[in-house]
Amino acid sequence: MDSQPEASAPPLLTRNFLCLLGAGFLCFTALGIFYLFPLFVINLGGSKSDIGILMGVMALSAVCVRPWVSGLVDQLNRKTTFAIGCALIALISGAHIYVVAPIDRIFYLLVLMRFIFGIGLGFIIVSSMTLASDLTPPRRLNEGLGIFGVMPLLGIATGPVIGEAIIASWGFTGMFLLTIGACALTVLFLIPIIEPIREKTDQRKDSFFTVLATPVVWRIGLVIITFGIAFAAHGSFVAPFAESRSLSVSIYFITYSAAAVISRLFGGRLSSYCGEYKMILASLLGMGAGFLLLAQTSSNIGLVASGLLAGAGQGIFFPSVLAFSVRSVKSGDRGKITGIITGGVDTGMLIGSFSLGYLGDLFGFPVLFTVAAFCVLVGVFLFIFMRKTIMLPKDGPIKAP
């Protein structure tokens, strides 16, 4: 019977997976609150360049420690590395409460704090996505990663909304205290999770850089970097852009996240039907169109429209490209492949935060968002050009050279 395969499909929403969803939502809500960090910088007297540097330093640290973090996630308990990341985020949030002065007096201290924040972010991203792939049945990998991928999007939507209200009532101190509380609750949700026992094998695990040298991995990594450059515009400059035009900051993030959540919930099955290649292309084009529209926006309606396009694109892109890449390596190297993929995003954000910040200072927000859209278009052409060299064979993982 046709319904038999569906009926025999292994369960996905187990207790472990539901606990991970709860932990992911709380943790990414804490990170979502930090989308308002540029407003904190402006409040201290900072410029667009200052914002770009501070956001870039965070990405730089995440990139620098990614080989170490990725290997550690494969060696240690996933929950432990997740909790370490939460502890670092909470620590820096608490420090921000006491570091308040004109930015020229504390800029280098803020740089150090953002560097540590980036290390914590690296732990969280790699460990959470790796744990999600561990807890997902192999036959439902696209679906499981897509569902877990909703949590960052809900956090991005929830964090700025709550944070904006908290800032209005209790200032930035309230915002940082809220982040600490969310990190603490995240750890409570991690405690009941029982990690699956990873198969022991006599085969030596590949190093981070050996996995990176796999053709499908480094080639798709180039596309991911272009995505990361554009994503820097979303994470670093939408909030100050909206505030400069007296528009609602939260309405963009709500719309963006709603579109991303819907596309991610249905994108997993759609990707299995249409193929990840087509879905990755469509997602990049949607995101690019969103940034082009954002460059011309002068109303909240424009923010909503651009948020819908960019959010739908981002919602489909990440789980599709992660599932696409995870199949290229052995299961014992999942932490490394997750680290490489997320590291590609961080590398792009590092480049984008610095370069787009300076472009914004020189030419304004419209040019900044137009350049972000152009970078996504470059990713589209790269992906099309390298199509034959990155498509996976049907007989399983590709061995690294």
Side-chain angles (χ1 to χ4, degrees):
M1 294 178 64
D2 294 338
S3 60
Q4 183 63 29
E6 184 70 23
S8 61
L12 175 60
L13 299 179
T14 60
R15 187 193 71 167
N16 286 333
F17 196 80
L18 290 174
C19 286
L20 179 61
L21 292 180
F25 171 71
L26 288 165
C27 179
F28 287 107
T29 296
L31 296 174
I33 293 170
F34 263 83
Y35 273 90
L36 302 178
F37 182 75
L39 302 182
F40 176 70
V41 176
I42 291 175
N43 187 63
L44 297 178
S47 65
K48 297 183 188 72
S49 295
D50 293 326
I51 294 171
I53 291 171
L54 290 172
M55 300 302 282
V57 165
M58 177 194 71
L60 174 64
S61 68
V63 170
C64 290
V65 304
R66 194 55 53 91
W68 172 65
V69 168
S70 301
L72 201 61
V73 168
D74 278 334
Q75 294 173 18
L76 299 181
N77 184 294
R78 318 287 204 206
K79 295 195 303 180
T80 300
T81 50
F82 198 157
I84 290 172
C86 290
L88 289 174
I89 298 299
L91 175 66
I92 295 303
S93 298
H96 274 303
I97 297 174
Y98 300 99
V99 181
V100 180
I103 196 164
D104 57 344
R105 292 174 52 190
I106 60 171
F107 184 76
Y108 293 106
L109 180 57
L110 290 176
V111 168
L112 175 61
M113 293 167 68
R114 292 301 287 173
F115 191 89
I116 298 173
F117 187 96
I119 295 174
L121 179 62
F123 271 108
I124 289 169
I125 297 296
V126 177
S127 60
S128 65
M129 295 302 297
T130 305
L131 185 55
S133 64
D134 286 345
L135 297 177
T136 301
R139 288 171 53 191
R140 306 184 70 178
L141 186 60
N142 259 317
E143 190 179 352
L145 291 175
I147 291 175
F148 179 75
V150 170
M151 298 304 105
L153 301 173
L154 290 178
I156 291 172
T158 305
V161 174
I162 298 176
E164 200 173 23
I166 292 294
I167 291 171
S169 300
W170 290 287
F172 289 102
T173 297
M175 184 187 88
F176 295 127
L177 287 173
L178 180 64
T179 303
I180 295 172
C183 288
L185 288 175
T186 298
V187 175
L188 293 181
F189 270 84
L190 287 175
I191 293 173
I193 296 177
I194 300 174
E195 294 189 38
I197 299 175
R198 281 170 273 168
E199 294 182 2
K200 295 184 180 295
T201 175
D202 294 332
Q203 189 174 14
R204 183 178 60 85
K205 293 181 180 179
D206 293 324
S207 70
F208 178 90
F209 293 103
T210 301
V211 175
L212 178 60
T214 305
V216 66
V217 176
W218 71 259
R219 286 167 179 158
I220 197 69
L222 294 178
V223 178
I224 293 169
I225 288 174
T226 65
F227 166 84
I229 294 173
F231 196 70
H234 160 79
S236 302
F237 301 106
V238 170
F241 165 73
E243 188 174 76
S244 71
R245 300 197 174 187
S246 300
L247 303 177
S248 171
V249 176
S250 59
I251 194 172
Y252 171 84
F253 288 106
I254 292 173
T255 307
Y256 180 99
S257 298
V261 166
I262 293 172
S263 65
R264 195 158 286 187
L265 285 174
F266 296 100
R269 290 181 179 272
L270 190 60
S271 181
S272 298
Y273 178 76
C274 297
E276 287 151 4
Y277 174 80
K278 293 180 180 178
M279 296 299 289
I280 290 171
L281 281 181
S283 65
L284 288 172
L285 289 172
M287 192 170 185
F291 282 119
L292 278 178
L293 181 58
L294 190 60
Q296 310 299 323
T297 294
S298 58
S299 67
N300 284 327
I301 293 177
L303 282 181
V304 169
S306 60
L308 285 173
L309 286 169
Q314 194 268 349
I316 294 173
F317 177 81
F318 195 79
S320 296
V321 80
L322 183 59
F324 186 90
S325 303
V326 160
R327 295 193 184 95
S328 69
V329 298
K330 302 183 293 291
S331 60
D333 291 320
R334 281 180 174 175
K336 299 180 186 70
I337 193 67
T338 304
I340 291 169
I341 298 305
T342 56
V345 177
D346 288 336
T347 301
M349 289 186 65
L350 171 63
I351 298 170
S353 295
F354 285 112
S355 59
L356 295 178
Y358 282 113
L359 283 174
D361 273 340
L362 292 173
F363 304 108
F365 286 113
V367 171
L368 185 156
F369 291 123
T370 301
V371 171
F374 175 76
C375 290
V376 175
L377 186 61
V378 171
V380 171
F381 282 114
L382 282 174
F383 196 59
I384 293 173
F385 178 74
M386 296 187 295
R387 176 181 181 179
K388 291 183 179 180
T389 61
I390 61 178
M391 299 302 287
L392 294 176
K394 295 181 180 180
D395 55 353
I398 299 174
K399 295 182 180 179

